[in-house]
């Protein structure tokens, strides 16, 4: 079994898109754990689906694990891949080292543009909107020690020239996210993407 841990902070639509795609393909892979840094919708959904949930370094919970403890849990659970799907905290360097090239992230813009500290969620779409870009899109990349920096695994653009607000851009980009994240994960499972750089 190929075990995936999904890290979340919000509504969890990317987590669900991944869950559904694995289910549909009756994949040999499963989302074995959902990890959050706060109480959020994604955790509620994971619980409903019977997936183990954990909190890491959380301000809103007392029952959280440290990254070191979480590392042990994920290693014991024979985790093959960690997917950051709307996870808002920076992953500590030591944790990145422990799962070197085994952590991927979905970013709601065309990296390397609109990246770095503070560039998450609606902030990204506001910046794109204010720059009157014709295109935006989504990028899946390997997580290294620098924000939004690791090797790009997939990227797809979408025409946003008629979008009237950052929210409208977010909607169009989200559709792309829901397509490319499951696709990249599928290719990793099938060995069609090599994560070792
Ligand atoms: C997505 O746009 C993701 O790319 C960004 O935060 C949003 C999370 O959405 N980092 P969801 O929680 O997956 O619905």
């Amino acid at each position: 079994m190929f075990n995936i841990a999904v890290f979340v902070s919000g509504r969890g639509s990317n987590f669900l898109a991944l869950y559904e795609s694995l289910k549909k393909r009756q994949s040999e892979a499963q989302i074995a754990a959902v990890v959050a840094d706060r109480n959020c919708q994604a955790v509620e959904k994971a619980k409903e689906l019977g997936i183990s949930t954990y909190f890491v370094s959380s301000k809103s919970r007392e029952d959280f694990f440290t990254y070191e403890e979480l590392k042990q849990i994920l290693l014991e659970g024979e985790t093959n891949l960690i997917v950051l799907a709307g996870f808002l905290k920076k992953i500590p360097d030591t944790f990145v080292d422990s799962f070197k090239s085994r952590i991927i992230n979905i970013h709601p813009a065309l990296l390397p543009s609109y990246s770095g500290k503070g560039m998450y969620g609606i902030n990204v779409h506001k910046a794109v909107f204010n720059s009157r870009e014709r295109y935006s899109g989504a990028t899946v990349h390997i997580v290294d020690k620098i924000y939004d920096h690791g090797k790009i695994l997939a990227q797809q653009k979408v025409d946003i020239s008629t979008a009237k607000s950052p929210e409208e851009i977010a909607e169009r980009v989200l559709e792309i996210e829901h397509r490319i994240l499951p696709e990249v994960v599928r290719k990793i499972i099938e060995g069609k993407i090599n994560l070792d750089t």
Side-chain angles (χ1 to χ4, degrees):
M1 187 57 93
F2 187 99
N3 292 313
I4 302 169
V6 182
F7 284 36
V8 292
S9 296
R11 113 199 104 173
S13 67
N14 277 294
F15 148 59
L16 283 178
L18 181 57
Y19 176 85
E20 291 301 336
S21 106
L22 294 172
K23 201 170 103 181
K24 203 158 89 195
R25 282 185 287 108
Q26 297 178 324
S27 171
E28 275 302 298
Q30 62 170 353
I31 298 177
V34 164
V35 176
D37 65 326
R38 65 195 70 192
N39 294 316
C40 59
Q41 263 175 279
V43 168
E44 294 315 312
K45 200 67 210 171
K47 281 186 186 153
E48 279 171 32
L49 293 168
I51 299 170
S52 303
T53 58
Y54 305 91
F55 289 94
V56 66
S57 185
S58 170
K59 284 195 179 122
S60 57
R61 307 274 306 195
E62 283 183 354
D63 59 342
F64 69 82
F65 294 100
T66 62
Y67 276 96
E68 194 49 38
E69 289 165 337
L70 183 67
K71 173 184 140 186
Q72 290 311 325
I73 293 169
L74 296 182
L75 288 176
E76 275 162 31
E78 297 181 352
T79 305
N80 301 89
L81 180 71
I82 294 175
V83 177
L84 309 187
F87 189 67
L88 293 177
K89 292 272 174 58
K90 186 167 187 304
I91 302 286
D93 289 355
T94 49
F95 193 88
V96 172
D97 279 337
S98 307
F99 294 95
K100 198 168 179 318
S101 297
R102 290 290 173 278
I103 309 177
I104 64 170
N105 179 47
I106 175 96
H107 184 77
L110 296 171
L111 291 178
S113 301
Y114 302 101
S115 64
K117 207 159 194 258
M119 275 295 166
Y120 59 82
I122 198 69
N123 295 351
V124 177
H125 306 302
K126 279 182 183 161
V128 170
F129 184 74
N130 291 335
S131 302
R132 297 173 206 268
E133 296 282 2
R134 171 145 200 219
Y135 293 99
S136 190
T139 307
V140 180
H141 66 95
I142 294 179
V143 172
D144 65 12
K145 291 174 186 169
I146 306 167
Y147 258 125
D148 300 327
H149 173 266
K151 183 183 170 193
I152 291 176
L153 302 174
Q155 190 165 60
Q156 198 180 322
K157 63 179 186 176
V158 61
D159 190 336
I160 51 155
S161 55
T162 58
K164 303 268 178 298
S165 64
E167 289 71 21
E168 212 176 302
I169 297 175
E171 257 175 56
R172 293 190 197 178
V173 170
L174 196 64
E175 271 182 43
I176 304 286
E177 293 182 53
H178 291 170
R179 209 174 310 146
I180 69 169
L181 182 62
E183 206 172 286
V184 166
V185 171
R186 176 177 57 78
K187 287 185 182 163
I188 293 171
I189 296 164
E190 291 173 356
K192 291 181 180 155
I193 288 182
N194 183 9
L195 293 177
D196 298 306
T197 45

